[in-house]
Amino acid sequence: MTNVEVTGAAVARFSRREIAEFARRALIALDHLGRIASEISEVTIAIIDDDAMRNLNRKFRKKNKTTDVLTFPADDSDADPQAAGRPLGDIVISIDQARRQAAEQRHSQATEVGYLILHGILHALGYDHEKDTGEMNVLEVEVRAAVGLE
């Protein structure tokens, strides 16, 4: 089973345990779809505020503004090829941005955070909606349905 560490701010109606279980279900769905090459041993999800997200976005993407999710894929270049699994990386979510997007889309904050977790997982697996021709979006919709996310 994938170890999922969840840190940071609380999410309304979405406990840390539920967040971790959602991430595991998303990874299982992706595995069943043949989109994961090897078992994922761990992933970290950090829930932070806009100020912290702006600082990360400025430092790592040179954009001085907040964003909803940032993904830092694990560098597994030193990983043992015989190991049972590999780390996925870190997914960082701005709870403030998630609240705004949930209100705009008229769904729950928990649903929005689920969307962002899945989005971050796909980025950590190498998908990039800014460079592909819609493949990431199609896969995201497919996995949302598989895990019962509105």
Side-chain angles (χ1 to χ4, degrees):
M1 178 185 336
T2 303
N3 178 43
V4 181
E5 181 181 351
V6 181
T7 63
V11 178
R13 297 188 180 102
F14 204 18
S15 71
R16 286 186 171 99
R17 181 187 56 76
E18 292 168 326
I19 290 170
E21 182 54 35
F22 172 81
R24 285 186 200 99
R25 285 194 341 256
L27 288 166
I28 289 167
L30 285 159
D31 185 44
H32 287 154
L33 292 168
R35 300 304 181 117
I36 298 178
S38 64
E39 180 183 335
I40 302 298
S41 62
E42 63 185 88
V43 60
T44 300
I45 300 169
I47 312 292
I48 63 175
D49 65 18
D50 271 348
D51 288 338
M53 182 63 91
R54 182 180 301 107
N55 289 335
L56 288 174
N57 206 21
R58 182 175 48 240
K59 180 177 181 178
F60 293 101
R61 297 181 66 223
K62 309 297 185 236
K63 295 184 179 187
N64 189 23
K65 62 181 182 176
T66 194
T67 189
D68 52 4
V69 61
L70 287 174
T71 304
F72 301 94
D75 177 9
D76 62 352
S77 59
D78 296 328
D80 176 357
Q82 302 303 316
R86 66 177 182 90
L88 184 67
D90 302 321
I91 298 167
V92 184
I93 295 170
S94 167
I95 193 63
D96 299 323
Q97 186 66 23
R99 282 186 192 117
R100 287 189 292 273
Q101 290 174 187
E104 288 169 11
Q105 297 299 313
R106 295 192 170 130
H107 55 231
S108 72
Q109 184 178 321
T111 295
E112 185 65 27
V113 169
Y115 286 170
L116 296 175
I117 291 168
L118 175 56
H119 195 82
I121 287 171
L122 292 175
H123 276 303
L125 290 171
Y127 293 92
D128 188 346
H129 56 86
E130 293 179 3
K131 295 180 181 174
D132 70 19
T133 56
E135 294 88 357
M136 181 175 168
N137 186 57
V138 168
L139 181 57
E140 199 165 343
V141 170
E142 192 173 356
V143 175
R144 283 180 189 175
V147 298
L149 190 59
E150 315 175 355

